[in-house]
């Protein structure tokens, strides 16, 4: 094996972990973009206070992490590559290290897959809650007090609206728009004329274009009951005092 070939092999081995994790993210990202999209346009939502600064802080944090990783790679990569090349040249390849590295690459590839999937769901949930909060802003003009992400004993309420008509617990769930359902909207699908992005309630179910759900309704009902119990307790304590 020539020196040039051994150098390429050395760097290929060192960068294999990075290439696998980035490759997994790229495949998942392309698959997500090809099959689903967010239900709302984030740029069209009313911005929360300091939203622009929050985005700048987030971007700078990613830049700092990138600088740290690049600094580490620039310093360590040449020394590590030289060591691997030396092993290849003398014919004593460290197979134990290679096996350990292979196991690590497989583990972190699977880990990347799971984390990216979770990140996609969290991003969807965050966008849905921001969109709901935007819609609830109008209630304030009607005399309601609106609270978000209310922490209670044993459960969480996404939104809480308090007004003269009562106390309302609002549960938010986000679902991606599926591109195969959106084909119905522009007339290219088998059910031309139907809006493939709408959901309606019927017979105790949320009816989406290609599936139905009941768990979000059940969760909202449970939270409403729990909130009613808490409000009753608070009122009882207030009456006693």
């Amino acid at each position: 094996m020539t020196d040039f070939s051994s150098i390429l092999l050395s760097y290929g081995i060192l960068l294999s972990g990075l290439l696998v994790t980035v490759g997994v993210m790229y495949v998942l990202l392309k698959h997500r973009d090809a099959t689903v999209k967010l239900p709302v346009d984030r740029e069209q939502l009313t911005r929360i206070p300091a939203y622009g600064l929050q985005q700048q802080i987030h971007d700078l944090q990613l830049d700092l992490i990138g600088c740290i990783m690049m600094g580490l790679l620039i310093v360590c990569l040449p020394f590590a590559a030289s060591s691997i090349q030396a092993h290849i040249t003398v014919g004593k390849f460290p197979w134990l290290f290679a096996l350990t590295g292979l196991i690590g690459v497989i583990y972190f590839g699977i880990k990347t897959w799971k984390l990216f999937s979770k990140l996609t769901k969290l991003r969807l949930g965050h966008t849905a809650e921001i969109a709901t909060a935007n819609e609830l802003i109008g209630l304030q003009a009607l005399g309601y007090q609106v609270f978000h992400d209310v922490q209670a004993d044993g459960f969480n309420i996404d939104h809480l609206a308090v007004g003269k008509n009562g106390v309302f617990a609002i549960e938010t769930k986000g679902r991606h728009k599926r591109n195969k359902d959106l084909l119905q909207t522009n007339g290219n699908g088998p059910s031309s004329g139907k809006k493939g992005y709408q959901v309606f309630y019927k017979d105790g179910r949320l009816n989406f274009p290609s599936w139905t759900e009941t768990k979000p309704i059940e969760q909202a009902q449970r939270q409403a009951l729990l909130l009613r119990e808490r409000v009753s307790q608070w009122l009882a304590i207030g009456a006693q005092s």
Side-chain angles (χ1 to χ4, degrees):
M1 181 178 292
T2 64
D3 290 343
F4 182 73
S5 299
S6 62
I7 291 174
L8 288 180
L9 179 59
S10 302
Y11 278 96
I13 293 172
L14 287 174
L15 297 176
S16 59
L18 178 63
L19 294 175
V20 167
T21 53
V22 172
V24 169
M25 290 181 60
Y26 177 80
V27 170
L28 290 175
L29 185 62
K30 296 295 289 186
H31 178 265
R32 186 196 69 185
D33 292 342
T35 55
V36 299
K37 63 183 297 185
L38 286 174
V40 296
D41 186 355
R42 294 171 61 94
E43 297 302 322
Q44 298 300 320
L45 298 176
T46 303
R47 294 195 172 192
I48 61 175
Y51 176 82
L53 290 176
Q54 182 182 11
Q55 289 296 108
Q56 292 182 40
I57 292 172
H58 179 263
D59 293 340
L60 285 176
Q61 287 174 336
L62 292 179
D63 289 342
L64 284 173
I65 295 175
C67 287
I68 294 172
M69 296 301 298
M70 288 303 299
L72 181 64
L73 282 175
I74 289 174
V75 173
C76 297
L77 198 61
F79 294 98
S82 177
S83 176
I84 294 177
Q85 183 184 2
H87 282 89
I88 295 174
T89 302
V90 299
K92 295 182 179 180
F93 191 78
W95 293 107
L96 180 60
F97 292 165
L99 178 61
T100 304
L102 178 61
I103 294 174
V105 167
I106 294 174
Y107 172 80
F108 284 108
I110 296 174
K111 188 75 171 179
T112 301
W113 185 291
K114 293 181 178 179
L115 290 176
F116 187 89
S117 300
K118 184 177 181 179
L119 179 61
T120 299
K121 293 179 181 179
L122 289 176
R123 178 173 176 263
L124 172 62
H126 178 264
T127 301
E129 290 200 24
I130 293 296
T132 303
N134 273 257
E135 295 297 325
L136 294 177
I137 290 176
L139 291 178
Q140 296 179 352
L142 302 176
Y144 282 82
Q145 291 291 324
V146 180
F147 306 92
H148 308 287
D149 198 18
V150 179
Q151 302 296 317
D153 295 336
F155 66 103
N156 166 271
I157 300 176
D158 292 335
H159 314 276
L160 189 66
V162 181
K164 59 183 180 180
N165 295 330
V167 181
F168 301 88
I170 303 167
E171 176 67 20
T172 299
K173 295 294 182 186
R175 297 294 182 267
H176 281 110
K177 293 179 180 179
R178 298 181 180 180
N179 290 344
K180 64 178 182 180
D181 295 330
L182 290 173
L183 289 176
Q184 300 176 10
T185 304
N186 57 24
N188 294 329
S191 303
S192 178
K194 294 176 60 179
K195 291 186 176 181
Y197 52 81
Q198 288 187 341
V199 57
F200 63 91
Y201 174 82
K202 183 179 180 181
D203 299 329
R205 292 178 175 272
L206 293 174
N207 294 271
F208 292 86
S210 55
W211 78 96
T212 61
E213 291 188 35
T214 59
K215 289 185 178 180
I217 298 175
E218 295 167 358
Q219 182 180 358
Q221 292 173 339
R222 288 195 303 269
Q223 292 190 344
L225 291 174
L226 290 171
L227 178 61
R228 184 172 66 180
E229 294 176 1
R230 295 295 189 275
V231 171
S232 299
Q233 294 174 0
W234 296 334
L235 291 176
I237 294 174
Q240 293 176 359
S241 60

